[in-house]
PDB file of all heavy atoms in Angstrom:
ATOM      1  N   GLU A  35      -4.995   7.820  -0.390  1.00  0.00           N
ATOM      2  CA  GLU A  35      -5.339   6.985  -1.500  1.00  0.00           C
ATOM      3  C   GLU A  35      -6.467   7.654  -2.318  1.00  0.00           C
ATOM      4  O   GLU A  35      -7.317   8.332  -1.748  1.00  0.00           O
ATOM      5  CB  GLU A  35      -5.825   5.594  -1.040  1.00  0.00           C
ATOM      6  CG  GLU A  35      -4.708   4.811  -0.394  1.00  0.00           C
ATOM      7  CD  GLU A  35      -5.191   3.611   0.382  1.00  0.00           C
ATOM      8  OE1 GLU A  35      -6.039   3.753   1.291  1.00  0.00           O
ATOM      9  OE2 GLU A  35      -4.706   2.525   0.047  1.00  0.00           O
ATOM     10  N   ILE A  37      -9.518   7.551  -5.686  1.00  0.00           N
ATOM     11  CA  ILE A  37     -10.305   6.789  -6.637  1.00  0.00           C
ATOM     12  C   ILE A  37      -9.910   7.237  -8.056  1.00  0.00           C
ATOM     13  O   ILE A  37      -9.921   8.410  -8.383  1.00  0.00           O
ATOM     14  CB  ILE A  37     -11.849   7.037  -6.417  1.00  0.00           C
ATOM     15  CG1 ILE A  37     -12.249   6.541  -5.070  1.00  0.00           C
ATOM     16  CG2 ILE A  37     -12.649   6.444  -7.605  1.00  0.00           C
ATOM     17  CD1 ILE A  37     -13.728   6.894  -4.737  1.00  0.00           C
ATOM     18  N   HIS A  38      -9.496   6.274  -8.851  1.00  0.00           N
ATOM     19  CA  HIS A  38      -9.213   6.641 -10.220  1.00  0.00           C
ATOM     20  C   HIS A  38     -10.452   6.517 -11.096  1.00  0.00           C
ATOM     21  O   HIS A  38     -11.271   5.639 -10.888  1.00  0.00           O
ATOM     22  CB  HIS A  38      -8.133   5.659 -10.835  1.00  0.00           C
ATOM     23  CG  HIS A  38      -6.860   5.721 -10.072  1.00  0.00           C
ATOM     24  ND1 HIS A  38      -5.815   6.523 -10.468  1.00  0.00           N
ATOM     25  CD2 HIS A  38      -6.426   5.077  -8.971  1.00  0.00           C
ATOM     26  CE1 HIS A  38      -4.855   6.327  -9.593  1.00  0.00           C
ATOM     27  NE2 HIS A  38      -5.154   5.504  -8.727  1.00  0.00           N
ATOM     28  N   SER A  39     -10.605   7.474 -12.019  1.00  0.00           N
ATOM     29  CA  SER A  39     -11.829   7.484 -12.828  1.00  0.00           C
ATOM     30  C   SER A  39     -11.624   8.090 -14.134  1.00  0.00           C
ATOM     31  O   SER A  39     -10.997   9.182 -14.279  1.00  0.00           O
ATOM     32  CB  SER A  39     -12.938   8.113 -12.161  1.00  0.00           C
ATOM     33  OG  SER A  39     -14.119   8.157 -12.972  1.00  0.00           O
ATOM     34  N   GLU A 174     -14.596 -27.060 -16.861  1.00  0.00           N
ATOM     35  CA  GLU A 174     -14.239 -28.277 -16.035  1.00  0.00           C
ATOM     36  C   GLU A 174     -14.254 -27.952 -14.543  1.00  0.00           C
ATOM     37  O   GLU A 174     -14.424 -28.823 -13.721  1.00  0.00           O
ATOM     38  CB  GLU A 174     -12.862 -28.854 -16.437  1.00  0.00           C
ATOM     39  CG  GLU A 174     -11.694 -28.033 -16.066  1.00  0.00           C
ATOM     40  CD  GLU A 174     -10.363 -28.686 -16.153  1.00  0.00           C
ATOM     41  OE1 GLU A 174     -10.346 -29.896 -16.013  1.00  0.00           O
ATOM     42  OE2 GLU A 174      -9.326 -27.982 -16.350  1.00  0.00           O
TER      43      GLU A 174
ATOM     44  N   HIS B  86     -48.311 -27.039  -9.301  1.00  0.00           N
ATOM     45  CA  HIS B  86     -47.913 -28.438  -8.877  1.00  0.00           C
ATOM     46  C   HIS B  86     -46.424 -28.434  -8.640  1.00  0.00           C
ATOM     47  O   HIS B  86     -45.679 -28.407  -9.597  1.00  0.00           O
ATOM     48  CB  HIS B  86     -48.337 -29.418  -9.876  1.00  0.00           C
ATOM     49  CG  HIS B  86     -48.139 -30.821  -9.395  1.00  0.00           C
ATOM     50  ND1 HIS B  86     -47.524 -31.802 -10.186  1.00  0.00           N
ATOM     51  CD2 HIS B  86     -48.430 -31.460  -8.257  1.00  0.00           C
ATOM     52  CE1 HIS B  86     -47.443 -32.956  -9.518  1.00  0.00           C
ATOM     53  NE2 HIS B  86     -48.005 -32.752  -8.302  1.00  0.00           N
ATOM     54  N   TYR B 220      -4.604 -22.308 -15.494  1.00  0.00           N
ATOM     55  CA  TYR B 220      -5.457 -21.291 -14.893  1.00  0.00           C
ATOM     56  C   TYR B 220      -4.674 -20.204 -14.136  1.00  0.00           C
ATOM     57  O   TYR B 220      -5.259 -19.328 -13.570  1.00  0.00           O
ATOM     58  CB  TYR B 220      -6.414 -21.971 -13.888  1.00  0.00           C
ATOM     59  CG  TYR B 220      -7.354 -22.932 -14.494  1.00  0.00           C
ATOM     60  CD1 TYR B 220      -7.303 -24.333 -14.262  1.00  0.00           C
ATOM     61  CD2 TYR B 220      -8.346 -22.471 -15.382  1.00  0.00           C
ATOM     62  CE1 TYR B 220      -8.204 -25.209 -14.868  1.00  0.00           C
ATOM     63  CE2 TYR B 220      -9.257 -23.334 -16.015  1.00  0.00           C
ATOM     64  CZ  TYR B 220      -9.198 -24.659 -15.737  1.00  0.00           C
ATOM     65  OH  TYR B 220     -10.030 -25.517 -16.391  1.00  0.00           O
ATOM     66  N   CYS B 326     -13.758  15.990  -2.811  1.00  0.00           N
ATOM     67  CA  CYS B 326     -13.832  16.014  -4.324  1.00  0.00           C
ATOM     68  C   CYS B 326     -12.462  15.680  -4.936  1.00  0.00           C
ATOM     69  O   CYS B 326     -12.406  14.927  -5.961  1.00  0.00           O
ATOM     70  CB  CYS B 326     -14.293  17.358  -4.753  1.00  0.00           C
ATOM     71  SG  CYS B 326     -16.005  17.690  -4.350  1.00  0.00           S
ATOM     72  N   ARG B 328     -10.306  13.660  -4.139  1.00  0.00           N
ATOM     73  CA  ARG B 328      -9.897  12.282  -4.057  1.00  0.00           C
ATOM     74  C   ARG B 328     -10.255  11.480  -5.218  1.00  0.00           C
ATOM     75  O   ARG B 328      -9.931  10.308  -5.335  1.00  0.00           O
ATOM     76  CB  ARG B 328     -10.554  11.622  -2.789  1.00  0.00           C
ATOM     77  CG  ARG B 328     -10.174  12.293  -1.391  1.00  0.00           C
ATOM     78  CD  ARG B 328      -8.688  12.056  -1.070  1.00  0.00           C
ATOM     79  NE  ARG B 328      -8.406  10.671  -0.769  1.00  0.00           N
ATOM     80  CZ  ARG B 328      -8.621  10.115   0.424  1.00  0.00           C
ATOM     81  NH1 ARG B 328      -9.105  10.842   1.378  1.00  0.00           N
ATOM     82  NH2 ARG B 328      -8.345   8.837   0.637  1.00  0.00           N
ATOM     83  N   GLN B 330      -9.335  11.022  -8.781  1.00  0.00           N
ATOM     84  CA  GLN B 330      -8.253  11.374  -9.705  1.00  0.00           C
ATOM     85  C   GLN B 330      -8.732  11.068 -11.165  1.00  0.00           C
ATOM     86  O   GLN B 330      -8.820   9.925 -11.572  1.00  0.00           O
ATOM     87  CB  GLN B 330      -6.949  10.527  -9.430  1.00  0.00           C
ATOM     88  CG  GLN B 330      -5.811  11.064 -10.183  1.00  0.00           C
ATOM     89  CD  GLN B 330      -4.571  10.347  -9.743  1.00  0.00           C
ATOM     90  OE1 GLN B 330      -4.220  10.332  -8.567  1.00  0.00           O
ATOM     91  NE2 GLN B 330      -3.841   9.723 -10.725  1.00  0.00           N
ATOM     92  N   GLU B 332      -8.967  10.710 -15.031  1.00  0.00           N
ATOM     93  CA  GLU B 332      -8.054  10.308 -16.088  1.00  0.00           C
ATOM     94  C   GLU B 332      -8.699  10.211 -17.447  1.00  0.00           C
ATOM     95  O   GLU B 332      -8.233   9.475 -18.330  1.00  0.00           O
ATOM     96  CB  GLU B 332      -7.437   8.930 -15.711  1.00  0.00           C
ATOM     97  CG  GLU B 332      -6.598   8.972 -14.406  1.00  0.00           C
ATOM     98  CD  GLU B 332      -6.425   7.681 -13.680  1.00  0.00           C
ATOM     99  OE1 GLU B 332      -7.016   6.632 -14.149  1.00  0.00           O
ATOM    100  OE2 GLU B 332      -5.685   7.590 -12.728  1.00  0.00           O
TER     101      GLU B 332
END
Side-chain angles (χ1 to χ4, degrees):
Chain A
E35 294 169 303
I37 294 174
H38 298 267
S39 180
E174 69 167 334
Chain B
H86 187 227
Y220 296 113
C326 294
R328 299 292 292 277
Q330 189 173 307
E332 295 159 354

